Amino acid sequence: MNKERINEYAVRISQSSRGQLVAITCEIAAEYMQDARSSLKEGDKKMFSFYIKKAMDFVDNLSSSLDMKYPISGNLLSLYMYVKRVLIHANAAYTDENLESGINVMKSIGEAYEDIAGKDENGQKLMENSQEIYAGYTYGRNSRLNEFVVRN
C-alpha cells in the first residue's frame, strides 16, 4: 500500500461512522493480503511477510474490539480466527494458497458493515466536527509534483 492509499484511508476514517470504520478496517486487511500475493508473485518474501503481518494486525484489531455480549460477535470471531489461521499458514509456508479465501471473507464482512452503516440514520461520524477535506496534486516549477489540500 502506497502513501497515497494510506492518505485516502486516513481521510475516509476521519469522516466515517463506527460501522464504516469496521468496513474500512476490513478493506485495509484485504488490501494488505492482496499486496502480499503480489509480493509473492514477484518473489519478494520479505515484503510478503511484511504485508501478511500488517493484515494480521488489522484482523487482530477487529477481533479484540468485538463486544462478546452480542451473539453475532461469536460468529465474527470465528471468521476472524479463520482469516488469522490462513495468514499464519501463508506466512509460515510462503504460500498464497488460501489467501483468496481470506480476502473474500474480509471483503464480505466489510461490505456487510458498510451496508448496515448506510442504513443507520443515526450513525455519527467519529470526528463529528471535522471538516471535509479535498486533496490533490498539481505540477509546480521544474515539473515537481505539489500536493494541495482544500478544507470546507
Side-chain angles (χ1 to χ4, degrees):
M1 186 178 312
N2 60 27
K3 277 188 169 186
E4 185 177 322
R5 287 293 290 157
I6 292 170
N7 289 338
E8 287 174 21
Y9 281 123
V11 170
R12 286 178 56 201
I13 288 168
S14 71
Q15 298 175 352
S16 68
S17 67
R18 292 175 196 252
Q20 290 168 331
L21 182 60
V22 175
I24 292 168
T25 304
C26 290
E27 187 179 329
I28 292 170
E31 188 166 335
Y32 275 125
M33 286 187 257
Q34 290 169 335
D35 289 345
R37 289 179 71 202
S38 297
S39 294
L40 191 62
K41 286 178 184 171
E42 295 170 3
D44 191 343
K45 289 183 177 182
K46 184 177 178 179
M47 287 308 294
F48 174 78
S49 287
F50 173 79
Y51 288 131
I52 291 291
K53 289 175 184 173
K54 292 298 265 185
M56 273 195 253
D57 289 343
F58 281 90
V59 173
D60 287 342
N61 182 280
L62 289 164
S63 299
S64 66
S65 65
L66 288 171
D67 187 347
M68 297 308 288
K69 69 180 178 185
Y70 299 105
I72 189 89
S73 296
N75 296 336
L76 286 168
L77 183 60
S78 295
L79 291 170
Y80 295 147
M81 287 174 40
Y82 167 75
V83 173
K84 182 85 181 256
R85 281 192 303 272
V86 166
L87 292 168
I88 290 169
H89 173 72
N91 198 35
Y94 290 109
T95 181
D96 64 352
E97 183 179 317
N98 293 319
L99 276 182
E100 188 65 32
S101 174
I103 291 167
N104 290 336
V105 168
M106 295 310 295
K107 285 183 176 181
S108 295
I109 294 170
E111 289 168 3
Y113 267 98
E114 189 65 42
D115 188 44
I116 291 167
K119 293 177 182 175
D120 183 12
E121 295 176 11
N122 296 325
Q124 295 179 325
K125 290 182 181 178
L126 292 176
M127 301 175 83
E128 187 69 31
N129 296 324
S130 66
Q131 300 173 339
E132 288 190 36
I133 301 172
Y134 301 94
Y137 293 95
T138 60
Y139 284 98
R141 282 190 235 173
N142 301 327
S143 297
R144 296 182 112 183
L145 194 58
N146 297 321
E147 181 177 11
F148 71 91
V149 177
V150 177
R151 297 170 191 230
N152 277 344

